[in-house]
Amino acid sequence: MLREFTEIQKVEQALQGPQFDPKLHGGLFDRGSADSYYGRPCRPHYFVHGSYEGKEIIPEVGSEQHEAYIAGYEWNEANGNKKDWG
């Protein structure tokens, strides 16, 4: 049986994953929220050594890494925090 999660549970689960470090600029949650903030498309990825440093990693769909990025993107979308380009 598949377990369905609410949006809050998805964010909470992602925050507990091994790839989430709230101090890591360029971590999965940070990348997702930044892409949303700057109006970029949702494209799960992260960099080995932080934002744009080292190899870019594309996590497998459904992995904890993928879900952490998605949680960051969806969190920012839900909060409406967008860059004002004007």
Side-chain angles (χ1 to χ4, degrees):
M1 181 170 120
L2 293 175
R3 183 176 175 193
E4 292 189 29
F5 292 100
T6 66
E7 291 305 309
I8 292 173
Q9 287 171 319
K10 287 179 184 178
V11 171
E12 288 173 346
Q13 182 182 14
L15 294 176
Q16 295 169 6
Q19 294 295 323
F20 180 76
D21 179 351
K23 297 177 185 171
L24 178 63
H25 183 66
L28 291 157
F29 191 91
D30 178 66
R31 286 270 28 101
S33 63
D35 285 349
S36 168
Y37 174 79
Y38 287 109
R40 296 187 288 249
C42 183
R43 187 180 70 83
H45 68 287
Y46 67 100
F47 296 90
V48 175
H49 301 293
S51 290
Y52 305 104
E53 298 292 329
K55 182 179 178 182
E56 181 181 32
I57 306 295
I58 308 298
E60 285 186 41
V61 173
S63 67
E64 287 184 13
Q65 293 87 357
H66 182 267
E67 294 303 315
Y69 173 95
I70 296 295
Y73 195 93
E74 290 179 350
W75 177 84
N76 195 71
E77 289 289 306
N79 285 292
N81 184 22
K82 300 288 187 167
K83 170 98 173 129
D84 179 7
W85 297 97

